[in-house]
Amino acid sequence: MATIKRALISVSDKSGILELAQALTKLNVEILSTGGTAKLFRDNQIPVIEVSDYTGFTEMLDGRVKTLHPKVHGGILGRRDLPEHVAAMKEANIPNIDMVVVNLYPFEATVAKPNCTLEDAIENIDIGGPAMVRSAAKNWKDVAVLTDASQYANIVSELQSTGGALAEATTFALSVAAFNRVSQYDAAISNYLSAIDYAASMASNLPVTHQFPAQSNTNFVKVQDLRYGENPHQQAAFYRDLYPAPGSLVTAQQLQGKELSFNNIADGDAAWEAVKSFDTTACVIVKHANPCGVALGATALDAYSKAFQTDPSSAFGGIIAFNSTVDKAAAEVVSKQFVEVLIAPDYTAEALVIFAAKANVRVLKIALPTGGATAWEQGRNSHESKRVGSGILIQTADNHEISQSDLKVISKKQATPQQMADMLFAWRVAKYVKSNAIVFCGNEMTLGVGAGQMSRIDSTKIAIIKAQNAGLSLQNSVVASDAFFPFRDGIDALAEAGASCVIHPGGSMRDEEVIAAADEHGLVMVVTGIRHFRH
């Protein structure tokens, strides 16, 4: 165990530091400190020794040099179990420092400010802090290192219960947390500086940054180990962003059910991201990463019932997501189906009682920011990545949304207001379907979904077959295609199935042929100018 007799405290964020120092003082721990932290202690009658008095070396260079001294780092790094270390420290008159409490200059918060200058950023790069943290973390068997206020209470409790000592398991865990914090800090600095366009920044006197830094450093925190990966022979774990966005899947609270699997999480994210995109009550059912049913409704039950109609066979064992509270009426119907995961912002007490009878169903609750769909945008990723052989592809997320004013009717026939609304709904759904994507819709629900085919005509045929299998009429339906039609055969097929409108990006070298086909069939054709490939 590490016995704590002397602590060095130097913090930028002073949350909880007075309570920690008071507890250490009651345990007869001598406290060393610097500048503002030492003044705070003196003002609150907490005994403290200034580091400059301890080392005999006055702070200099506007505080850039204050703890970079052998008496500080020797006291932290000296091993108590090595006689040569003990002798060397005694000869140099260097006492042991048993605890280091340091949180770093607020670099991340500083560069997040819109008016941050490059000079401000540089001055908020901590030097002495990370050095002390690394020294203490390296010598974890003898030294405890605290880097976050959330650690204070548990450490005080353990010290009080042992009379001033910490178990090796505790100091090791603190060491790991410390190295993680330094890694995160250095990554933030590297990402920021790697993105700076130096010449442009000097010309404007403000940092000008590139969208993608010269080096990308990411930090993810493990949420849980998984039983296996995509297949049983693969191992897997689930990680979250260091600072997850509100309303994102990783913030979910699991209320009941079996442990989430790799595929549950992947499909759950697909369903949740799709349902979040609607600003009225919606339900999305996902199977194997693709929506197999999407609908809007007056209630959660109404939306679910319509979504389920699209493809009942595929919905079996699927992921169901709502963007509104699931009540008793919805729960009674949903519970009759085999569902792997259920996701919603909330559930009524009566609904949870119903789901409790299905103990294996994974019920997730994800708190959304207040303010409706506009506020939910906070829960989106700003960037997306995909691993390739020994590399990674990074892109801005496909967060582009369109409104009716963005659409252009290019057919002879014009759309009615209802047809426009239906096409916007279909277009929103198509964005979340794997390419090539064809989606038939009507009455604010999907009627047939064709996904992931190598040719657009095959996706069209599959969507038609899906609708036929579900007994749904495609007469006067609208169709969304995530990319342009390369040939007229897709238009011929959807017109023959009964569609009255089609929305797609346009831009094919055969656009004239495709438009002519629409006019021949008396279809409304609308182009968006935006493509939504999803691989």
Short mmCIF file of all heavy atoms in Angstrom, two decimals, residues 307-337:
data_model
loop_
_atom_site.label_atom_id
_atom_site.label_comp_id
_atom_site.label_asym_id
_atom_site.label_seq_id
_atom_site.Cartn_x
_atom_site.Cartn_y
_atom_site.Cartn_z
N ALA A 307 -45.66 1.20 -39.87
CA ALA A 307 -44.30 0.75 -40.20
C ALA A 307 -44.25 -0.76 -40.32
O ALA A 307 -43.58 -1.31 -41.20
CB ALA A 307 -43.33 1.24 -39.13
N PHE A 308 -44.95 -1.45 -39.44
CA PHE A 308 -44.94 -2.92 -39.43
C PHE A 308 -45.58 -3.49 -40.70
O PHE A 308 -45.17 -4.54 -41.20
CB PHE A 308 -45.67 -3.42 -38.19
CG PHE A 308 -45.64 -4.92 -38.03
CD1 PHE A 308 -44.50 -5.56 -37.56
CD2 PHE A 308 -46.74 -5.69 -38.35
CE1 PHE A 308 -44.47 -6.94 -37.41
CE2 PHE A 308 -46.72 -7.08 -38.21
CZ PHE A 308 -45.57 -7.70 -37.73
N GLN A 309 -46.58 -2.79 -41.23
CA GLN A 309 -47.28 -3.26 -42.42
C GLN A 309 -46.36 -3.39 -43.62
O GLN A 309 -46.59 -4.22 -44.51
CB GLN A 309 -48.40 -2.29 -42.81
CG GLN A 309 -49.63 -2.33 -41.93
CD GLN A 309 -50.67 -1.34 -42.45
OE1 GLN A 309 -51.13 -1.45 -43.59
NE2 GLN A 309 -51.01 -0.37 -41.63
N THR A 310 -45.32 -2.57 -43.69
CA THR A 310 -44.44 -2.55 -44.87
C THR A 310 -43.85 -3.92 -45.15
O THR A 310 -43.81 -4.36 -46.30
CB THR A 310 -43.29 -1.54 -44.68
OG1 THR A 310 -43.84 -0.26 -44.39
CG2 THR A 310 -42.41 -1.46 -45.92
N ASP A 311 -43.36 -4.58 -44.09
CA ASP A 311 -42.63 -5.84 -44.30
C ASP A 311 -42.67 -6.66 -43.02
O ASP A 311 -41.67 -6.77 -42.31
CB ASP A 311 -41.18 -5.51 -44.70
CG ASP A 311 -40.43 -6.72 -45.23
OD1 ASP A 311 -40.96 -7.85 -45.11
OD2 ASP A 311 -39.30 -6.54 -45.74
N PRO A 312 -43.81 -7.25 -42.69
CA PRO A 312 -43.95 -8.00 -41.43
C PRO A 312 -42.93 -9.12 -41.27
O PRO A 312 -42.45 -9.38 -40.16
CB PRO A 312 -45.37 -8.56 -41.50
CG PRO A 312 -46.10 -7.64 -42.42
CD PRO A 312 -45.08 -7.22 -43.44
N SER A 313 -42.59 -9.80 -42.36
CA SER A 313 -41.64 -10.91 -42.24
C SER A 313 -40.25 -10.42 -41.87
O SER A 313 -39.56 -11.03 -41.04
CB SER A 313 -41.59 -11.71 -43.55
OG SER A 313 -41.17 -10.90 -44.63
N SER A 314 -39.80 -9.30 -42.45
CA SER A 314 -38.49 -8.77 -42.12
C SER A 314 -38.46 -8.14 -40.73
O SER A 314 -37.43 -8.14 -40.06
CB SER A 314 -38.05 -7.73 -43.16
OG SER A 314 -37.85 -8.32 -44.42
N ALA A 315 -39.62 -7.63 -40.30
CA ALA A 315 -39.69 -7.00 -38.98
C ALA A 315 -39.49 -8.01 -37.86
O ALA A 315 -39.15 -7.64 -36.73
CB ALA A 315 -41.03 -6.29 -38.81
N PHE A 316 -39.66 -9.29 -38.15
CA PHE A 316 -39.48 -10.34 -37.16
C PHE A 316 -38.03 -10.33 -36.65
O PHE A 316 -37.08 -10.45 -37.42
CB PHE A 316 -39.79 -11.70 -37.78
CG PHE A 316 -39.65 -12.87 -36.84
CD1 PHE A 316 -40.68 -13.22 -35.99
CD2 PHE A 316 -38.48 -13.61 -36.81
CE1 PHE A 316 -40.56 -14.30 -35.13
CE2 PHE A 316 -38.34 -14.69 -35.96
CZ PHE A 316 -39.38 -15.03 -35.10
N GLY A 317 -37.87 -10.14 -35.35
CA GLY A 317 -36.53 -10.09 -34.77
C GLY A 317 -35.77 -8.83 -35.09
O GLY A 317 -34.54 -8.81 -35.07
N GLY A 318 -36.50 -7.75 -35.39
CA GLY A 318 -35.85 -6.50 -35.77
C GLY A 318 -35.61 -5.57 -34.60
O GLY A 318 -35.81 -5.90 -33.43
N ILE A 319 -35.14 -4.38 -34.94
CA ILE A 319 -34.90 -3.29 -33.98
C ILE A 319 -35.99 -2.25 -34.22
O ILE A 319 -36.18 -1.80 -35.35
CB ILE A 319 -33.53 -2.62 -34.20
CG1 ILE A 319 -32.42 -3.67 -34.32
CG2 ILE A 319 -33.24 -1.61 -33.11
CD1 ILE A 319 -32.11 -4.43 -33.08
N ILE A 320 -36.70 -1.86 -33.17
CA ILE A 320 -37.78 -0.88 -33.31
C ILE A 320 -37.41 0.38 -32.55
O ILE A 320 -37.06 0.32 -31.36
CB ILE A 320 -39.10 -1.44 -32.76
CG1 ILE A 320 -39.47 -2.75 -33.48
CG2 ILE A 320 -40.22 -0.43 -32.93
CD1 ILE A 320 -40.70 -3.43 -32.91
N ALA A 321 -37.49 1.52 -33.23
CA ALA A 321 -37.14 2.80 -32.61
C ALA A 321 -38.29 3.78 -32.77
O ALA A 321 -38.91 3.87 -33.84
CB ALA A 321 -35.88 3.37 -33.22
N PHE A 322 -38.57 4.50 -31.69
CA PHE A 322 -39.58 5.56 -31.68
C PHE A 322 -38.89 6.88 -31.31
O PHE A 322 -37.90 6.89 -30.57
CB PHE A 322 -40.66 5.28 -30.63
CG PHE A 322 -41.52 4.08 -30.90
CD1 PHE A 322 -41.14 2.82 -30.45
CD2 PHE A 322 -42.72 4.21 -31.59
CE1 PHE A 322 -41.93 1.71 -30.68
CE2 PHE A 322 -43.53 3.10 -31.82
CZ PHE A 322 -43.13 1.85 -31.37
N ASN A 323 -39.45 7.99 -31.79
CA ASN A 323 -38.93 9.30 -31.37
C ASN A 323 -39.87 9.98 -30.38
O ASN A 323 -39.75 11.17 -30.11
CB ASN A 323 -38.68 10.21 -32.58
CG ASN A 323 -39.95 10.55 -33.33
OD1 ASN A 323 -41.04 10.05 -33.01
ND2 ASN A 323 -39.83 11.40 -34.34
N SER A 324 -40.81 9.20 -29.83
CA SER A 324 -41.76 9.73 -28.84
C SER A 324 -41.95 8.68 -27.75
O SER A 324 -41.54 7.52 -27.89
CB SER A 324 -43.09 10.07 -29.50
OG SER A 324 -43.68 8.90 -30.05
N THR A 325 -42.60 9.07 -26.68
CA THR A 325 -42.83 8.16 -25.56
C THR A 325 -43.70 6.97 -25.99
O THR A 325 -44.71 7.14 -26.68
CB THR A 325 -43.53 8.91 -24.41
OG1 THR A 325 -42.66 9.95 -23.95
CG2 THR A 325 -43.84 7.97 -23.25
N VAL A 326 -43.28 5.79 -25.58
CA VAL A 326 -44.05 4.58 -25.86
C VAL A 326 -45.05 4.38 -24.72
O VAL A 326 -44.66 4.24 -23.55
CB VAL A 326 -43.12 3.35 -25.98
CG1 VAL A 326 -43.94 2.08 -26.15
CG2 VAL A 326 -42.17 3.53 -27.16
N ASP A 327 -46.33 4.38 -25.05
CA ASP A 327 -47.36 4.24 -24.03
C ASP A 327 -47.90 2.81 -23.99
O ASP A 327 -47.43 1.91 -24.71
CB ASP A 327 -48.49 5.24 -24.27
CG ASP A 327 -49.14 5.09 -25.65
OD1 ASP A 327 -48.89 4.05 -26.32
OD2 ASP A 327 -49.88 6.01 -26.06
N LYS A 328 -48.91 2.60 -23.15
CA LYS A 328 -49.48 1.27 -22.96
C LYS A 328 -50.03 0.70 -24.26
O LYS A 328 -49.81 -0.48 -24.58
CB LYS A 328 -50.58 1.33 -21.90
CG LYS A 328 -51.24 -0.01 -21.62
CD LYS A 328 -52.36 0.13 -20.59
CE LYS A 328 -53.07 -1.21 -20.36
NZ LYS A 328 -54.19 -1.09 -19.39
N ALA A 329 -50.76 1.51 -25.02
CA ALA A 329 -51.38 1.03 -26.25
C ALA A 329 -50.34 0.51 -27.24
O ALA A 329 -50.50 -0.56 -27.84
CB ALA A 329 -52.20 2.16 -26.89
N ALA A 330 -49.25 1.25 -27.40
CA ALA A 330 -48.18 0.82 -28.31
C ALA A 330 -47.49 -0.43 -27.76
O ALA A 330 -47.18 -1.36 -28.50
CB ALA A 330 -47.18 1.94 -28.52
N ALA A 331 -47.23 -0.43 -26.46
CA ALA A 331 -46.52 -1.55 -25.85
C ALA A 331 -47.29 -2.86 -26.00
O ALA A 331 -46.70 -3.92 -26.24
CB ALA A 331 -46.27 -1.26 -24.37
N GLU A 332 -48.60 -2.79 -25.86
CA GLU A 332 -49.41 -4.01 -25.97
C GLU A 332 -49.28 -4.63 -27.35
O GLU A 332 -49.22 -5.87 -27.48
CB GLU A 332 -50.88 -3.67 -25.68
CG GLU A 332 -51.16 -3.43 -24.20
CD GLU A 332 -52.60 -3.03 -23.94
OE1 GLU A 332 -53.26 -2.51 -24.87
OE2 GLU A 332 -53.06 -3.23 -22.81
N VAL A 333 -49.21 -3.82 -28.39
CA VAL A 333 -49.10 -4.35 -29.75
C VAL A 333 -47.66 -4.77 -30.06
O VAL A 333 -47.43 -5.86 -30.61
CB VAL A 333 -49.60 -3.31 -30.78
CG1 VAL A 333 -49.40 -3.82 -32.20
CG2 VAL A 333 -51.07 -2.99 -30.53
N VAL A 334 -46.71 -3.94 -29.70
CA VAL A 334 -45.30 -4.27 -29.98
C VAL A 334 -44.90 -5.56 -29.28
O VAL A 334 -44.16 -6.38 -29.83
CB VAL A 334 -44.39 -3.10 -29.53
CG1 VAL A 334 -42.92 -3.52 -29.60
CG2 VAL A 334 -44.63 -1.87 -30.40
N SER A 335 -45.37 -5.76 -28.05
CA SER A 335 -44.96 -6.93 -27.27
C SER A 335 -45.45 -8.24 -27.87
O SER A 335 -44.98 -9.32 -27.50
CB SER A 335 -45.47 -6.80 -25.84
OG SER A 335 -46.89 -6.83 -25.80
N LYS A 336 -46.40 -8.18 -28.81
CA LYS A 336 -46.88 -9.39 -29.46
C LYS A 336 -45.92 -9.88 -30.54
O LYS A 336 -46.06 -11.01 -31.04
CB LYS A 336 -48.26 -9.13 -30.08
CG LYS A 336 -49.35 -8.85 -29.04
CD LYS A 336 -50.67 -8.51 -29.72
CE LYS A 336 -51.74 -8.17 -28.68
NZ LYS A 336 -53.02 -7.77 -29.31
N GLN A 337 -44.96 -9.03 -30.93
CA GLN A 337 -44.00 -9.38 -31.97
C GLN A 337 -42.67 -9.79 -31.34
O GLN A 337 -42.36 -9.42 -30.20
CB GLN A 337 -43.78 -8.19 -32.91
CG GLN A 337 -45.04 -7.55 -33.43
CD GLN A 337 -45.91 -8.51 -34.21
OE1 GLN A 337 -45.41 -9.43 -34.85
NE2 GLN A 337 -47.22 -8.30 -34.19
#
